[in-house]
Amino acid sequence: MDKEELWQTVLAQIQFNISKASFSTWFKNTGITSKKEDKVLISVPNNFSKEWLENKYGKLIFKILHGLDNEIKEINYIVNRSGLKIKKPSFSVKEIPQLEFEEFKVDKETNLNPRYTFESFVVGSFNELAQAAAWAVSQKPGLVYNPLFVYGGVGLGKTHLLQALGNEISENFSKKNVKYFPSEKFISGVINSIRNRTIEDFKEKLRQIDILIIDDVQFLAGKEKTQEEFFHIFNSLYEKNKQIVLSSDRPPKAISALEERLRSRFEGGMIADISLPDYETRLAILKTKSQERKIFFSDEIYEYIASNIQKNIRELEGALNRLMVYQKLQNHTLDLESSKNLLKNIVSPPRRAISPKKIIKIVADFYELKEKELLANSRKKEIVKPRQIAMYLFRKELKSSFPFIGRRFGGKDHTTAIHAYNKILKEVKNNENLIGEINELKQRIYSV
Ligand code: ADP
Ligand code: MG
């Protein structure tokens, strides 16, 4: 790849990571001026761009360039006021081939994204129960399974399924008032309306809903006020035979800090899980997505992806997208070797770097504490437990010494760290909630 191709490829990837507006603002008139051994010099039109590219997109640019050519180790930026001296690129930024990714045209009334449909949802044994239940609900909302509770790991299709259900109802029952909320939005809705003293209006609006869909309800855990309001809304809708649909990354009984009365409400309807797709289904999903975009690959490439990417459907899709970008960009059919090369970071991703700071931040966020609280001396139960978990993660994931852990947590003695570690180690053997929490924490630690 020469330096122009290289840069165009970088741009094509960046496009998928940031908004269109930022893209054209920050990447207009940029280019690679030189590439010498492990150093790349990128020219930008002004200081302002330079700062943004360096500070905000520097890591992303490095990751992509290094992924394309792992000799590249250093990137510098230079302001080139006289316009770019580099040879005219084969196509300008504006004309980079856009894959037809539907934009996020989220419906303002329902919050639903029309891209999620039942037609585009591939069914296999791993998700057929959930799909059948969602379909049944979409045909007779409020009359079959209420509430419908779908759970499963990240990237396995919960959001897709819930939104497909919502879209299907909107289409067939135009008079029904459908509303989709990611949990965070529901939570902030409650909090803001309490702050603005409009909680009664807020609740009144929710009571008008015929189909209430709340995605990722595990985030309601520990939010007492929100749970309280949700409980009342739930009851009032339920009594009127309105449909409620919920999703979570774990079954209701594994969501700790969920009020008992809410948990039993959730368990009162239909609970369906989505597990991992098997090889055949992974292959079917890849081919369906290819068909949708009308970009095709040889069978050995689909097979390679399906056998090497097993974690979830989102990653499967990510790998396919990556190949699609290249194929479209280079305008010729990719072979297996170059596909393998392009996917090497996805297939065996380098383990992400973790640090003490990161663990503290993630644990504090997860339990909604301030980092300071986690590190101080409070003996409050709701702080002690997260603190012990954080210490446990230091030991397990960072292999930190006990004296180090003690010091890092506000100058405590190493025996405190040993005690915390042993306590969690013992508890984690038979406490299902704790296992769930620690897995979730680990996932967060290794995914950002
Ligand atoms: P979750 O909400 O469980 O984290 P998503 O619903 O966001 O997962 O799914 C991740 C991606 O995988 C989405 O782009 C979605 O369209 C796609 N996907 C998930 N399940 C399927 C399926 N059964 N068939 C086709 N695409 C799917
Ligand atoms: Mg989701």
Side-chain angles (χ1 to χ4, degrees):
M1 242 190 255
D2 68 20
K3 58 185 199 239
E4 276 146 38
E5 265 182 308
L6 197 61
W7 189 239
Q8 293 304 327
T9 317
V10 171
L11 292 180
Q13 286 214 16
I14 287 175
Q15 264 195 127
F16 294 114
N17 288 289
I18 70 178
S19 78
K20 238 187 190 153
S22 317
F23 183 73
S24 55
T25 310
W26 305 117
F27 290 90
K28 208 163 51 192
N29 296 331
T30 57
I32 293 182
T33 6
S34 74
K35 174 174 177 290
K36 281 197 198 92
E37 285 143 26
D38 60 350
K39 290 192 189 60
V40 168
L41 190 61
I42 294 173
S43 78
V44 297
N46 52 51
N47 267 322
F48 205 41
S49 287
K50 178 166 183 276
E51 222 167 90
W52 271 80
L53 257 58
E54 270 175 340
N55 298 333
K56 199 153 158 42
Y57 299 113
K59 276 205 190 113
L60 179 63
I61 295 172
F62 179 79
K63 208 172 116 199
I64 299 172
L65 272 172
H66 185 74
L68 290 166
D69 177 347
N70 50 25
E71 267 183 12
I72 296 173
K73 301 259 156 51
E74 190 182 324
I75 298 180
N76 291 301
Y77 297 83
I78 176 180
V79 178
N80 184 343
R81 285 176 209 289
S82 57
L84 289 175
K85 292 246 169 61
I86 55 169
K87 215 174 77 207
K88 196 173 171 294
S90 45
F91 40 80
S92 71
V93 167
K94 256 197 1 235
E95 294 159 350
I96 287 178
Q98 283 270 354
L99 291 183
E100 256 88 84
F101 278 85
E102 282 116 301
E103 296 264 324
F104 284 95
K105 280 184 250 122
V106 173
D107 184 293
K108 288 226 173 56
E109 285 302 311
T110 62
N111 294 333
L112 290 165
N113 182 333
R115 117 176 160 90
Y116 296 112
T117 60
F118 278 109
E119 288 83 69
S120 60
F121 192 77
V122 178
V123 187
S125 56
F126 73 109
N127 65 4
E128 63 187 340
L129 177 66
Q131 193 270 355
W135 176 254
V137 165
S138 76
Q139 300 306 299
K140 290 185 173 168
L143 300 175
V144 274
Y145 309 120
N146 210 6
L148 169 62
F149 189 103
V150 175
Y151 76 91
V154 200
L156 292 175
K158 301 180 297 293
T159 297
H160 188 140
L161 190 61
L162 261 58
Q163 295 222 19
L165 179 157
N167 280 320
E168 181 74 20
I169 297 177
S170 295
E171 211 161 277
N172 297 336
F173 305 88
S174 55
K175 294 220 175 63
K176 293 221 187 272
N177 184 355
V178 182
K179 200 104 180 162
Y180 168 87
F181 283 103
S183 277
E184 305 90 289
K185 223 172 170 171
F186 185 81
I187 296 166
S188 60
V190 173
I191 293 174
N192 290 337
S193 64
I194 291 175
R195 189 179 303 140
N196 306 331
R197 298 171 202 278
T198 51
I199 184 78
E200 287 312 317
D201 297 350
F202 180 74
K203 287 202 287 200
E204 190 44 38
K205 269 202 203 115
L206 291 173
R207 287 196 205 100
Q208 311 294 330
I209 291 173
D210 299 301
I211 290 94
L212 175 64
I213 306 174
I214 303 196
D215 207 352
D216 289 317
V217 292
Q218 72 273 12
F219 294 129
L220 298 184
K223 311 266 188 326
E224 277 149 39
K225 188 66 193 155
T226 308
Q227 289 190 32
E228 169 82 28
E229 298 302 348
F230 181 61
F231 180 75
H232 294 302
I233 292 156
F234 187 108
N235 285 342
S236 115
L237 293 177
Y238 186 80
E239 278 158 18
K240 290 186 284 181
N241 281 334
K242 306 296 187 190
Q243 180 71 47
I244 298 150
V245 183
L246 308 162
S247 86
S248 164
D249 64 352
R250 49 202 121 161
K253 67 170 180 321
I255 310 179
S256 61
L258 189 66
E259 272 185 76
E260 198 44 48
R261 54 183 185 167
L262 259 184
R263 197 190 326 265
S264 61
R265 277 294 185 208
F266 289 178
E267 284 172 346
M270 163 78 152
I271 302 182
D273 76 317
I274 301 187
S275 56
L276 285 171
D278 56 23
Y279 173 77
E280 303 292 321
T281 318
R282 293 200 293 275
L283 211 52
I285 291 171
L286 291 170
K287 293 190 174 172
T288 310
K289 307 252 173 219
S290 255
Q291 186 70 43
E292 278 167 20
R293 307 257 172 81
K294 302 269 175 288
I295 303 177
F296 300 95
F297 302 94
S298 66
D299 277 344
E300 54 179 12
I301 292 181
Y302 293 122
E303 284 159 15
Y304 177 77
I305 306 176
S307 28
N308 285 283
I309 295 180
Q310 309 170 348
K311 204 166 121 210
N312 63 42
I313 301 176
R314 185 171 300 145
E315 285 200 356
L316 212 55
E317 216 175 10
L320 191 68
N321 281 346
R322 182 145 202 206
L323 299 188
M324 286 177 169
V325 175
Y326 281 82
Q327 180 144 309
K328 188 119 181 175
L329 201 68
Q330 309 205 323
N331 226 348
H332 65 76
T333 321
L334 277 174
D335 59 21
L336 183 61
E337 270 323 295
S338 20
S339 306
K340 279 187 183 169
N341 208 17
L342 288 168
L343 297 180
K344 72 179 176 243
N345 287 347
I346 309 183
V347 167
S348 50
R351 208 154 160 78
R352 313 247 183 182
I354 59 168
S355 63
K357 233 174 127 171
K358 192 166 166 190
I359 293 185
I360 289 169
K361 176 164 191 334
I362 284 171
V363 174
D365 284 353
F366 187 76
Y367 293 102
E368 288 166 25
L369 299 171
K370 297 204 178 69
E371 290 180 25
K372 262 201 294 207
E373 292 176 304
L374 200 63
L375 301 178
N377 283 317
S378 165
R379 300 233 143 257
K380 279 198 213 133
K381 191 166 154 258
E382 61 274 25
I383 299 182
V384 171
K385 194 185 136 212
R387 184 187 298 135
Q388 290 175 333
I389 291 177
M391 289 178 159
Y392 167 86
L393 290 170
F394 264 59
R395 180 73 186 172
K396 269 265 182 228
E397 307 304 314
L398 287 173
K399 315 280 177 244
S400 302
S401 74
F402 289 120
F404 173 81
I405 301 175
R407 274 200 307 279
R408 194 69 180 70
F409 283 78
K412 297 184 179 58
D413 194 68
H414 73 280
T415 52
T416 310
I418 296 176
H419 172 73
Y421 174 72
N422 286 334
K423 182 147 186 289
I424 301 297
L425 192 65
K426 199 166 130 210
E427 244 183 271
V428 87
K429 293 213 172 84
N430 41 31
N431 178 340
E432 218 184 294
N433 283 345
L434 188 62
I435 297 174
E437 285 168 39
I438 288 183
N439 283 341
E440 173 67 25
L441 284 166
K442 277 200 217 159
Q443 194 172 24
R444 291 184 189 196
I445 289 168
Y446 286 108
S447 68
V448 281

